[in-house]
Amino acid sequence: MIRFGTLGVARITSRALINPCMDEPRANVVAIAARDRQRAERYAEFAHIPMVLDSYQDVIDHDGLDAIYVPLPITAHRQWTVAALEAGKHVLCEKSLAANEAEAVAMTAAATRAGRVLMDAYHYRYHPLFIRARQIYDSGVLGDIRHIDAVFSVPGNGIKADDIRMNYATGGGVTMDIGCYPISWVRHLTASEPTVLKATAEVGPPNVDVFLEADLGIPGHVSAHVVGDMRTGSKFKATITVTGSKGNLRIINPLAPQSGNRLTITIGQETTTETFDRRPSYAYQLDAFIAAVEDGAPLFTDGADAIKQMRVIDDCYRCAGLPLRGLGG
């Protein structure tokens, strides 16, 4: 069994780790620490975590743990991920893995030195919906691929000014939070590394993008357009549309297929529709993490992939005239 310790009391923790572990006999969450011990105690009671420790370092150093989950603000990922790896723990780290490419390089090097698993938590990549989309993309049924549109938009209404997503110092910005998904969708669907041709952003708080769109060039004469949007008044949308010379592929909700999903293929006048199981993408992610730890199975979203992902994100910020995350200021 993999015994997890988790750092902090992030909103994502229940969906990404606690709930999947409840249905998985090969993994369990046994320890937690937070900056506010009382918050950690309340969450531990809610989530049935048996051990509350005084600090993040105490969790990392505990001999009874095998893996650490890092859902902290992005600018804290490098510090605590490297500390966990150097303590001999495997790490499941929330996306974006790092504040920038250089940090992802350092974190991946630490994992290599330690001989431990480092996983970037892009859970969607392990769900059957996206695996099927990859099969269709590679099958040739769409003909020559010409263009991909990938959009993730959520209403920004109600996001408070002190939210970490609205703070440059904590790695805030729509591209770090949700716009990273369309970039990842394009990279993994095409199995290629794009070039950022153009990027345009709208800024809320200083240096914090609340909207960013980018035009990407994909090897093989494929173009792509990615959008991340958390402006006030935006509507929820999570879609991928692939246009080929023979037909189109449209993926509805590649993000969290457990909340409903649909994949349609249109060739000429004929459209076929597929839907997939409602088992959470986070459960498939946990399966992959366990297989990597116990059997050495490869990951779609390991440290090497995170370096490539962060390189594209950095290039989007550069093209949009914004500073990279994690550089202060």
Side-chain angles (χ1 to χ4, degrees):
M1 173 184 287
I2 296 174
R3 300 161 297 177
F4 276 97
T6 184
L7 308 184
V9 186
R11 286 173 293 185
I12 190 63
T13 304
S14 293
R15 295 196 305 275
L17 185 67
I18 302 298
N19 294 344
C21 283
M22 286 181 178
D23 295 325
E24 176 52 70
R26 297 173 297 168
N28 195 18
V29 184
V30 299
I32 186 172
R35 288 176 299 171
D36 182 337
R37 185 182 173 94
Q38 288 186 337
R39 285 192 68 205
E41 289 172 347
R42 288 194 297 269
Y43 188 79
E45 182 178 4
F46 162 78
H48 305 288
I49 300 173
M51 191 180 345
V52 177
L53 300 176
D54 288 332
S55 70
Y56 298 159
Q57 193 65 50
D58 287 343
V59 174
I60 287 169
D61 290 338
H62 199 284
D63 290 338
L65 301 178
D66 309 295
I68 303 297
Y69 175 58
V70 181
L72 300 170
I74 290 169
T75 47
H77 286 185
R78 176 183 178 177
Q79 174 186 354
W80 295 109
T81 293
V82 170
L85 292 166
E86 290 179 345
K89 307 298 195 296
H90 306 283
V91 176
L92 172 60
C93 183
E94 271 305 325
K95 57 81 204 160
S96 293
L97 182 90
N100 52 57
E101 180 189 357
E103 288 194 359
V105 169
M107 295 159 73
T108 302
T112 300
R113 289 193 302 270
R116 293 295 182 265
V117 169
L118 172 61
M119 185 180 198
D120 195 5
Y122 282 99
H123 50 99
Y124 81 86
R125 183 61 181 89
Y126 300 91
H127 195 279
L129 170 66
F130 199 86
I131 291 171
R132 174 62 176 147
R134 284 277 295 115
Q135 292 172 345
I136 294 167
Y137 188 93
D138 286 342
S139 70
V141 68
L142 302 177
D144 295 329
I145 305 299
R146 294 172 173 168
H147 185 73
I148 304 169
D149 279 301
V151 179
F152 188 11
S153 171
V154 298
N157 310 55
I159 300 179
K160 297 179 180 179
D162 61 353
D163 192 297
I164 60 173
R165 294 171 290 175
M166 291 293 180
N167 188 338
Y168 175 79
T170 53
V174 68
T175 307
M176 299 297 286
D177 185 48
I178 66 170
C180 54
Y181 279 104
I183 292 169
S184 183
W185 295 338
V186 168
R187 291 184 52 253
H188 281 271
L189 193 61
T190 63
S192 299
E193 296 308 315
T195 300
V196 180
L197 305 175
K198 179 183 177 181
T200 303
E202 292 185 25
V203 173
N207 293 326
V208 174
D209 50 314
V210 294
F211 172 88
L212 190 144
E213 60 181 344
D215 293 322
L216 309 179
I218 312 294
H221 306 290
V222 179
S223 62
H225 185 72
V226 295
V227 174
D229 188 355
M230 62 178 186
R231 293 172 295 184
T232 299
S234 297
K235 296 181 179 180
F236 178 83
K237 184 176 183 181
T239 61
I240 307 169
T241 304
V242 181
T243 302
S245 60
K246 295 181 180 178
N248 302 323
L249 167 67
R250 185 166 173 80
I251 309 162
I252 305 297
N253 198 14
L255 173 74
Q258 58 268 25
S259 299
N261 62 79
R262 188 168 71 253
L263 183 155
T264 61
I265 310 166
T266 301
I267 307 295
Q269 300 300 312
E270 183 177 350
T271 297
T272 58
T273 299
E274 300 179 26
T275 58
F276 298 82
D277 70 67
R278 302 291 283 268
R279 183 175 186 244
S281 51
Y282 300 106
Y284 285 105
Q285 175 177 261
L286 182 60
D287 289 347
F289 186 83
I290 292 170
V293 170
E294 294 189 345
D295 306 321
L299 293 169
F300 295 127
T301 59
D302 59 6
D305 183 76
I307 293 170
K308 298 172 185 176
Q309 172 75 5
M310 291 312 306
R311 183 177 302 146
V312 179
I313 290 175
D314 285 358
D315 285 346
C316 284
Y317 279 127
R318 291 188 184 102
C319 285
L322 292 174
L324 306 189
R325 312 296 94 168
L327 300 184

